Amino acid sequence: MVMFITLLTILSLLDRNVIALFLDDIRADLQISELQASFIYGGAFAITFSLMGLPIGWAVDRFSRRKIIFGGVGFWSLSTIACGLATGFPSMLLARAGVGAGEAALVPSAHSIISDSFQPKSRTLPFAFYAMGQKGGAGVALLVGGALAALFNPHVSYEIAPLIVLRGWQIILFAIGLPGLAVAIFIFAFRETARSDMHTAASERPGYFGYFGFMRGRWRYFTGLHLGFVMFQSVYIAIMGATPSFFARVHGWTPAETGFWFGAVILVGPLASLPIHGWMCDHLLRRGVRDVHLRYQLIMLPLALLPLCGAYLVPGPILSLSLLGVGMTLIAGSQAATTASLQMSVTGDLRGKAASVWILIGGLSSLIGPSGVALINQKVFANSSMIGQSLALFVGCSLLVAALLFEVARRGFLRSPNVSDELV
């Protein structure tokens, strides 16, 4: 089940991120500004992804998680196809919002299923495999998108049938969206995972008021964790969204070249290191390091700052890719560790709601990341070729703020009361 959820996560990241490879081509065809394009990539997705997480998180704690996942996969796949049919900014905005709404179903369901399937002392490793889908999916999106861009040039028109002419980027979006409709049905090959709170009737499980009251009693921990995750995730999304434009504008690479090389770099390093990150956290937790999931961030994020910022300031593309690979490898375990920390800190009847609030607040990163880089590039440097400097400035500041917020969460975590037998 964990491996299948990982596969679905890869598919979701493919539908979500492939558009970054030819965002400049879409911007030219739809005649929209750079800020509007950044909102299509980040903001439109983030708003519905975040807001839909609330009702879905409530449903996850009460109904079949398999059916919720099936509906979400089908909806985001159809919305990806709709992106290929967009004729302007409003229609593309609406279609991307649909992708976000559909993908909101996967995260709360995945968090709940994984948490109910593993004991707290062994939970970070499966979350690391799940995170492999999130990190690997971004790399797969670039590799697959680059391969498709080599077959269908994004800014070239193709006659698919008499009187039907499509741009290359439209064909790519159709090819990316269709497989999800076929894959989604296989979720029913797995049995519904038993809930840790299975003896509690659905009508007796707490709602969001109960969860917010739970959070209020541990406000330092939850505030630091959520806001730290927003800043960290905004770095990751900014890198994914703006780096293809960086290689195109600064180094003159085509979408196919960027897709292959950038995709390979961010795929190999994180995939190789994520199980190691997960195993180390679980090992240290069993050794009694109770705050290991947050302490980990205070080491990895500062270590990654120099290579990630330097990647956009060095002169050659090969050195830039190498530094990106080092930086992404170092921060690869951050999402798995913070997710494990959250799920370790709540009871079983709050897991879906915890995950939905997590993505509601974390969804801000999809707005902050791309729009932050675009605003710096447009207002501070006022030069599209300075996108590398804009990325370096945004990444450096955001990583430092994230580390400080995770330290607030760590101190709050140590002061918070244990949650029955869930905490070590």
Side-chain angles (χ1 to χ4, degrees):
M1 176 67 87
V2 170
M3 297 310 295
F4 186 70
I5 288 174
T6 302
L7 172 64
L8 292 179
T9 303
I10 291 172
L11 191 64
S12 73
L13 268 293
L14 180 60
D15 288 43
R16 184 189 311 181
N17 286 330
V18 72
I19 199 171
L21 271 179
F22 36 82
L23 197 56
D24 281 348
D25 296 300
I26 293 174
R27 185 162 65 91
D29 284 347
L30 301 186
Q31 297 182 338
I32 58 178
S33 69
E34 185 165 346
L35 190 58
Q36 286 177 314
S38 73
F39 196 71
I40 284 174
Y41 176 76
F45 175 91
I47 291 171
T48 52
F49 181 74
S50 302
L51 294 179
M52 285 302 297
L54 291 175
I56 290 173
W58 174 88
V60 163
D61 288 335
R62 286 166 171 76
F63 306 115
S64 169
R65 291 164 288 191
R66 295 184 305 165
K67 293 179 181 178
I68 292 170
I69 290 175
F70 174 74
V73 176
F75 193 78
W76 89 55
S77 299
L78 289 172
S79 297
T80 301
I81 295 171
C83 287
L85 298 172
T87 56
F89 179 65
S91 55
M92 179 63 83
L93 201 67
L94 184 62
R96 283 291 288 176
V99 177
E103 292 193 17
L106 186 57
V107 176
S109 303
H111 283 205
S112 179
I113 289 171
I114 294 173
S115 297
D116 282 340
S117 302
F118 296 89
Q119 294 297 317
K121 295 180 182 180
S122 304
R123 200 173 282 160
T124 313
L125 184 57
F127 269 120
F129 276 98
Y130 166 62
M132 285 172 66
Q134 296 174 314
K135 299 296 183 281
V140 169
L142 294 170
L143 289 171
V144 172
L148 289 172
L151 292 174
F152 302 101
N153 195 316
H155 63 267
V156 172
S157 297
Y158 296 86
E159 187 175 358
I160 305 301
L163 303 179
I164 300 178
V165 178
L166 297 173
R167 301 289 273 181
W169 61 266
Q170 294 177 299
I171 298 173
I172 293 171
L173 288 173
F174 293 155
I176 294 297
L178 286 171
L181 300 174
V183 173
I185 194 68
F186 288 101
I187 188 65
F188 296 109
F190 302 92
R191 292 191 304 173
E192 186 77 23
T193 305
R195 299 177 185 270
S196 59
D197 61 332
M198 60 185 300
H199 299 298
T200 304
S203 59
E204 297 176 0
R205 292 171 186 159
Y208 279 103
F209 284 116
Y211 180 61
F212 291 142
F214 180 86
M215 291 177 66
R216 188 166 56 250
R218 299 159 176 81
W219 67 271
R220 289 185 181 85
Y221 166 72
F222 281 104
T223 300
L225 184 75
H226 284 87
L227 295 182
F229 176 68
V230 167
M231 297 311 300
F232 160 75
Q233 189 70 358
S234 68
V235 168
Y236 183 77
I237 293 174
I239 289 172
M240 293 305 307
T243 299
S245 295
F246 165 74
F247 280 112
R249 298 178 193 177
V250 177
H251 299 298
W253 280 13
T254 65
E257 290 174 315
T258 301
F260 179 78
W261 291 110
F262 181 43
V265 163
I266 65 168
L267 183 64
V268 173
L271 287 189
S273 65
L274 263 167
I276 298 172
H277 287 300
W279 177 84
M280 286 180 65
C281 284
D282 283 341
H283 174 72
L284 291 170
L285 184 62
R286 287 192 289 268
R287 295 283 298 265
V289 185
R290 187 166 165 259
D291 60 345
V292 60
H293 300 101
L294 298 166
R295 190 181 293 270
Y296 211 69
Q297 317 306 319
L298 306 182
I299 298 171
M300 293 300 169
L301 298 190
L303 281 177
L305 191 149
L306 187 60
L308 286 178
C309 292
Y312 300 105
L313 303 175
V314 295
I318 303 303
L319 182 55
S320 178
L321 283 171
S322 300
L323 290 172
L324 276 172
V326 171
M328 297 294 274
T329 299
L330 289 170
I331 66 172
S334 293
Q335 188 161 348
T338 50
T339 302
S341 175
L342 174 67
Q343 291 296 327
M344 196 175 78
S345 303
V346 297
T347 53
D349 55 357
L350 296 174
R351 286 190 177 126
K353 288 176 280 293
S356 66
V357 173
W358 178 252
I359 65 172
L360 171 65
I361 298 175
L364 292 172
S365 58
S366 295
L367 177 62
I368 294 172
S371 299
V373 174
L375 283 171
I376 292 172
N377 198 47
Q378 190 170 306
K379 301 297 184 182
V380 177
F381 295 108
N383 187 340
S384 62
S385 64
M386 298 283 283
I387 190 168
Q389 287 82 347
S390 301
L391 270 162
L393 181 59
F394 179 83
V395 167
C397 294
S398 298
L399 283 178
L400 287 175
V401 173
L404 291 173
L405 288 166
F406 282 134
E407 172 61 12
V408 172
R410 188 186 71 84
R411 295 186 180 189
F413 179 82
L414 292 175
R415 294 175 184 173
S416 299
N418 287 2
V419 179
S420 63
D421 61 344
E422 285 292 296
L423 292 180
V424 176

